[in-house]
Amino acid sequence: MIRHEIRGHTAFLTIDNPPANTWTPESLRVLEKLIGELNDNRDVYAAVITGAGTKFFSAGADLKTFSADKVLARHFIACFGSAFEALMNARFVTVSAINGYAMGGGLECALATDIRIAESHAQMALPEPAVGLLPAGSGTQNLPWLVGEAWAKRIILTNERVDAATAVRIGLVQEVVEKGEGLAKATEIAERVATLSPRAVEYCKSLIHNARNGIPRRAGLSLERERFMDLFDHSDQQEGVAAFLEKRKPEWKND
């Protein structure tokens, strides 16, 4: 239900569970395991995630798999949390190509990525309260961080569906492209990542997340300087500077 392949330094993940690319505990465990494997593969610098077909990125949870069963629901939501936290904290840069409806857990998956590209026909929502639930795949935490409290409340507390134009205006996505062009744009972004020092990008991503994770500013600033100096322990730092001075493209070893 999660297809993947690696081309160059980019991993491509496709949510493929027709007809609506819904999540199941099994597919969430597969995603978590896959993120772990990609973390261990130092040749992977970025990952692109999208949905199979042209209508759905992902419609979220398959409610039929737990319905009113509290035990199954606890297992399901634990799988959601583990998978999407793994995605959020991936070593590499993650880009979602939202190629249609991203509802509930589908949108939460996109929220867990670093960069979001939406196709013009995409629709996004967190409608869980409409069925007596709440977005517990990190949705209540990630959405306010990205769009602010007021818009997060409007989307979650009133079940407002957001189109692509609104999403880019409020900062939910970074760019809107025409239908069918999302994967190409996400791939272009991922390939730009591959031109940078992998370890420098890794350090930058973790430092950017410090504010989200509640690290005090003074500690974050101190850690920033420490990570800067840590880069001098790796050959890519010397290669990057040398390539710049010699006016050539760097050849990263990612040691």
Side-chain angles (χ1 to χ4, degrees):
M1 287 181 281
I2 302 291
R3 293 189 281 108
H4 78 280
E5 63 175 319
I6 297 174
R7 300 200 301 267
H9 294 294
T10 302
F12 293 87
L13 285 60
T14 304
I15 310 165
D16 190 0
N17 185 25
N21 296 332
T22 49
W23 291 106
T24 65
E26 293 74 23
S27 62
L28 289 163
R29 286 196 296 269
V30 168
L31 175 64
E32 181 181 5
K33 182 174 183 291
L34 179 57
I35 295 299
E37 292 171 354
L38 295 174
N39 273 332
D40 292 336
N41 184 349
R42 297 293 301 183
D43 285 334
V44 172
Y45 300 169
V48 173
I49 184 165
T50 192
T54 59
K55 186 174 182 181
F56 288 96
F57 175 77
S58 169
D62 184 350
L63 296 180
K64 298 190 296 294
T65 59
F66 63 89
S67 187
D69 190 317
K70 189 173 181 179
V71 174
L72 290 178
R74 184 180 297 278
H75 172 63
F76 204 146
I77 205 58
C79 291
F80 261 115
S82 295
F84 292 166
E85 285 186 42
L87 183 59
M88 275 189 285
N89 297 319
R91 167 189 55 77
F92 43 87
V93 176
T94 54
V95 187
S96 51
I98 304 173
N99 58 318
Y101 289 98
M103 316 300 284
L107 179 56
E108 288 177 302
C109 176
L111 294 175
T113 61
D114 299 316
I115 301 166
R116 286 157 296 283
I117 304 300
E119 296 186 9
S120 56
H121 67 295
Q123 298 280 324
M124 289 149 271
L126 292 176
E128 285 87 344
V131 294
L133 299 171
L134 62 83
S138 305
T140 65
Q141 303 304 296
N142 285 341
L143 187 61
W145 179 259
L146 294 170
V147 304
E149 182 179 300
W151 263 106
K153 286 179 174 177
R154 182 166 167 174
I155 291 170
I156 297 173
L157 305 184
T158 74
N159 192 21
E160 180 167 345
R161 186 177 295 184
V162 173
D163 61 17
T166 301
V168 74
R169 177 168 60 84
I170 66 176
L172 178 53
V173 304
Q174 282 64 62
E175 187 171 348
V176 175
V177 296
E178 292 302 314
K179 185 175 182 179
E181 296 180 4
L183 183 58
K185 173 54 68 172
T187 301
E188 176 188 319
I189 291 172
E191 289 176 348
R192 286 210 303 272
V193 173
T195 67
L196 311 176
S197 161
R199 195 170 297 273
V201 169
E202 177 185 349
Y203 285 0
C204 286
K205 178 174 174 176
S206 66
L207 289 166
I208 291 168
H209 279 191
N210 279 343
R212 173 191 293 185
N213 296 331
I215 303 297
R217 179 175 173 80
R218 185 177 296 275
L221 291 171
S222 176
L223 186 58
E224 182 181 74
R225 293 188 287 271
E226 288 182 31
R227 287 290 175 267
F228 177 86
M229 295 309 304
D230 288 343
L231 290 171
F232 283 76
D233 295 329
H234 302 278
S235 64
D236 278 351
Q237 179 272 323
Q238 289 88 4
E239 168 63 11
V241 173
F244 175 77
L245 295 176
E246 295 166 13
K247 296 181 172 55
R248 60 175 174 82
K249 291 183 179 180
E251 297 180 6
W252 307 119
K253 295 181 179 178
N254 196 16
D255 58 359

